[in-house]
Amino acid sequence: MTTVAIIPAAGSGKRMQGGLSKQYLPVDGKMILLHTLSVFELSPDIDEIVLVAPEEDIPMIRQMIVEHRGMSKVRHVMAGGKQRQDSVRNGLAAVENQADIVLIHDAVRPFISENLIRLTVQEAEKHGAVAVGMPVKDTIKRVDPGGWIVETLNRQVLWMTQTPQAFKRSVIQEAYRRADEDQFYGTDDASLVERMGFRVKMIAASYANIKITTPEDLLMAEFLIKRQKRGNVS
Ligand code: CTP
Ligand code: MG
């Protein structure tokens, strides 16, 4: 069983409204990207890492990986694309045919745990396609362009999707091939698999598995990491 993790880290972090792309910002004095990579490096369930970075940053990233001698699983650093889906596609191109499972995880979700990686990989082996997420906390409404509420959705069946998402290699490769063919862009990887009619299993992760997106998330991340250091599991 070979499992490859693709880590897309080629975004520019527009919603963070800062100069430096958010994957390079520090949390607890360490780059977010390094927090995330460390978990995968240490996970016994991951054999190889394909990192996807902005093309102009690749020399800097390679240097960083050499300096952190612990990062021995990073086999490829690929150039990212315009949208996240383009970046993941470039990462997939580096995944070799002997890989059984491909797990995809956002670089900017540093609170990923070894346990969640294990669970995601196990479920992907079983079902072929899995996404992690959590039930929504707020009531979600559909609103028209004029700002009027169209309907209130049933919260009982709504989940916010996170990463990791993991798939049998053939399933995700076929999903990306078809999305390319149809010029379809989704907001996560599972949606490309769903549109083929393939069932994707949702599994519960943690509300602490946040994506660092806006400045408030950085404050939350500093808080969560202190809690983690005190030994409270997230
Ligand atoms: N990502 C990527 N390539 C892109 C866009 C995003 O590899 N063209 C990566 C980001 O680096 C991040 C993950 O996908 O690790 C999730 O994306 P998101 O949170 O949207 O990050 P950004 O696109 O950087 O942020 P924003 O949408 O605010 O510009
Ligand atoms: Mg984005």
Side-chain angles (χ1 to χ4, degrees):
M1 249 289 300
T2 304
T3 301
V4 177
I6 297 177
I7 314 276
S12 54
K14 290 192 195 75
R15 286 169 288 177
M16 190 55 81
Q17 297 165 339
L20 197 60
S21 294
K22 60 192 182 176
Q23 61 272 30
Y24 305 133
L25 295 175
V27 167
D28 193 38
K30 178 171 152 185
M31 199 188 273
I32 290 168
L33 173 61
L34 282 176
H35 278 286
T36 305
L37 282 176
S38 306
V39 182
F40 284 90
E41 183 66 38
L42 293 173
S43 163
D45 300 293
I46 298 296
D47 300 294
E48 283 187 25
I49 298 169
V50 174
L51 180 60
V52 188
E55 189 157 24
E56 61 277 16
D57 298 344
I58 289 181
M60 179 274 283
I61 298 261
R62 284 197 207 283
Q63 179 67 26
M64 187 182 84
I65 286 163
V66 172
E67 276 166 20
H68 287 78
R69 274 152 297 168
M71 298 290 162
S72 62
K73 288 184 190 169
V74 180
R75 297 294 153 77
H76 302 275
V77 184
M78 305 295 284
K82 207 157 186 261
Q83 299 198 35
R84 182 186 180 280
Q85 192 172 315
D86 302 314
S87 297
V88 173
R89 185 195 308 108
N90 294 353
L92 268 175
V95 173
E96 279 137 37
N97 283 342
Q98 64 261 36
D100 301 294
I101 301 289
V102 176
L103 176 152
I104 303 166
H105 182 71
D106 293 330
V108 295
R109 287 189 193 268
F111 295 102
I112 176 74
S113 66
E114 258 185 55
N115 282 344
L116 186 58
I117 293 173
R118 171 159 312 135
L119 185 63
T120 309
V121 171
Q122 282 171 351
E123 294 290 302
E125 280 171 39
K126 235 187 281 170
H127 305 292
V130 49
V132 312
M134 288 299 277
V136 298
K137 296 182 195 176
D138 296 334
T139 295
I140 311 278
K141 295 186 190 282
R142 203 152 67 80
V143 178
D144 73 15
W148 296 96
I149 293 171
V150 179
E151 68 174 318
T152 300
L153 300 169
N154 175 12
R155 200 173 63 186
Q156 302 301 321
V157 298
L158 292 172
W159 287 57
M160 341 183 259
T161 310
Q162 308 171 345
T163 68
Q165 299 186 351
F167 312 90
K168 291 205 168 124
R169 181 180 50 79
S170 54
V171 171
I172 191 68
Q173 280 180 335
E174 176 67 6
Y176 264 78
R177 196 189 62 71
R178 289 215 212 163
D180 275 356
E181 215 170 72
D182 305 341
Q183 289 292 298
F184 173 86
Y185 276 86
T187 50
D188 72 347
D189 305 293
S191 60
L192 308 196
V193 173
E194 291 158 37
R195 68 187 286 278
M196 301 199 293
F198 196 97
R199 273 154 65 87
V200 182
K201 185 81 165 62
M202 173 66 87
I203 59 176
S206 154
Y207 286 116
N209 182 29
I210 61 167
K211 181 159 74 71
I212 298 179
T213 307
T214 58
E216 301 75 42
D217 297 324
L218 271 180
L219 298 176
M220 180 57 99
E222 292 288 353
F223 172 80
L224 288 171
I225 210 145
K226 284 191 184 80
R227 190 178 74 152
Q228 212 173 50
K229 277 184 159 176
R230 287 201 306 266
N232 298 350
V233 280
S234 49

